[in-house]
Amino acid sequence: MLDPCIEYQGVLIKLAENLHFSVGDSLDEQVLPQKITKVVSVVIDEWDENEGSIGPSSIGQIKVFCSLLSSLEQSDAAICLCAGSTPALVTASALLAGAYLVLCRQAPATDVQELFGPIEGLLSTFSIGGDDVAVSDCWQALHTARERGWLDLVSADPDYTRCIDLEEHMHYDNPANGRLHVVVPNELIVFPCPRDIPPDPATGAERLWLDKGPHRAFAPRYFAEVLPDFEAGLVVRCGGRAEEAYDEGAFLRAGLAVERVSLVGGGGGGSGLVLAASSSAVMSMVGANGRNRHAKTESIVAAPVEEP
């Protein structure tokens, strides 16, 4: 089978002054005369070798990449990013490079998409929840987040009342710390449903989490103790199987309102989820444009509630 990357070998894309992007694991002799003084290989290690697929980078990974690239650019070297030799690797590398342009160079997502036009036919899609998401969709999402002030990677002293505290986000986004995802700063947080965890069999002490193989489950009280730090006031369970019920009392005792929403679709059209939190503590949930797979969604959404 013909390697789809072969026809793109040697393509050198100028992303910015002294910053280039190339398909392949290294530069060949045809590219060297371009006066590239520093070659950087983009290494993506979180991918399925059997499927040949890679999920989109997390915000934390994007932040680390942008910080490293910013430090390299300060050296005034002419840099070339070598993106790898498979469509999946090139796509993941393009996402990171484009994210840098959007978040650190303030480039519009449409301009970034145009820059990567020469390799558009090589870029694959990400599979997210059964849906195919183009890398250009990811750039547009980052552009929107930047424009709305949710992401700020350039200010020396970011306003964390408006933007995501990325250090805090990277801590809680870790599966070992709850996998809490800040979607909208100070408005919307998403995290997996907790589990009722039995006491320690040896001591009888309460446990806030339990490791089972490579996975860690968290008790409701763990999240109940964390959410006040995010000024959350409302917790909504979205779907989840009935047999995986848990004690909501931990949230109530922490002063958090508790609601439930069914995500089971009907009529073959399925259901989706739209969440909106108003300043008067109104949380509305509307089903739209989803599939029945959402009936098994296991997430909780916590939204801050302002005092009347």
Side-chain angles (χ1 to χ4, degrees):
M1 182 177 179
L2 183 64
D3 183 352
C5 290
I6 288 179
E7 64 177 290
Y8 297 96
Q9 292 288 340
V11 174
L12 189 66
I13 299 175
K14 183 176 181 179
L15 302 180
E17 193 64 33
N18 289 336
L19 180 61
H20 297 76
F21 185 96
S22 178
V23 175
D25 297 316
S26 61
L27 291 177
D28 58 30
E29 294 181 358
Q30 295 178 348
V31 176
L32 289 177
Q34 301 291 332
K35 297 183 179 179
I36 302 297
T37 59
K38 185 179 290 292
V39 177
V40 179
S41 295
V42 181
V43 178
I44 309 292
D45 59 5
E46 294 185 8
W47 71 302
D48 189 326
E49 294 183 0
N50 296 319
E51 297 291 335
S53 62
I54 303 175
S57 300
S58 68
I59 291 297
Q61 291 167 332
I62 288 173
K63 176 186 181 297
V64 171
F65 178 85
C66 290
S67 297
L68 291 172
L69 193 51
S70 294
S71 64
L72 286 173
E73 283 208 287
Q74 291 176 2
S75 66
D76 294 327
I79 301 168
C80 182
L81 301 174
C82 294
S85 55
T86 69
L89 288 171
V90 173
T91 302
S93 299
L95 170 59
L96 290 170
Y100 171 78
L101 297 178
V102 169
L103 297 176
C104 298
R105 292 294 193 100
Q106 312 291 297
T110 51
D111 289 0
V112 174
Q113 184 175 0
E114 184 176 346
L115 285 172
F116 283 92
I119 61 169
E120 181 180 4
L122 183 60
L123 300 179
S124 56
T125 58
F126 300 111
S127 180
I128 304 177
D131 293 322
D132 290 333
V133 178
V135 65
S136 58
D137 295 326
C138 299
W139 293 329
Q140 185 59 57
L142 293 171
H143 175 94
T144 300
R146 188 201 75 203
E147 289 296 293
R148 295 187 178 182
W150 299 345
L151 288 174
D152 183 354
L153 270 64
V154 295
S155 298
D157 186 19
D159 180 3
Y160 292 130
T161 64
R162 297 184 64 244
C163 71
I164 296 174
D165 183 337
L166 290 175
E167 295 297 331
E168 180 181 65
H169 178 87
M170 291 169 66
H171 172 79
Y172 285 113
D173 182 52
N174 190 312
N177 297 322
R179 291 179 58 206
L180 289 91
H181 300 274
V182 178
V183 180
V184 181
N186 302 309
E187 290 189 24
L188 191 61
I189 304 166
V190 180
F191 56 93
C193 283
R195 299 285 185 266
D196 285 335
I197 296 177
D200 187 302
T203 65
E206 179 184 11
R207 294 185 291 186
L208 297 184
W209 61 79
L210 178 65
D211 293 327
K212 187 174 182 180
H215 304 290
R216 172 170 289 185
F218 292 87
R221 184 183 158 195
Y222 173 84
F223 293 112
E225 292 181 356
V226 169
L227 291 177
D229 292 340
F230 292 92
E231 300 182 3
L234 174 64
V235 174
V236 183
R237 178 171 181 169
C238 304
R241 293 179 288 271
E243 63 269 22
E244 295 174 334
Y246 54 86
D247 180 16
E248 298 173 340
F251 294 116
L252 296 172
R253 289 189 292 274
L256 297 164
V258 176
E259 298 289 348
R260 295 186 184 184
V261 171
S262 173
L263 299 183
V264 179
S271 64
L273 180 64
V274 175
L275 304 119
S278 71
S279 59
S280 58
V282 176
M283 175 68 80
S284 64
M285 307 207 173
V286 182
N289 301 325
R291 296 189 177 91
N292 285 328
R293 68 173 184 278
H294 290 297
K296 295 184 178 180
T297 297
E298 301 170 20
S299 296
I300 282 183
V301 178
V305 177
E306 294 184 5
E307 295 293 333

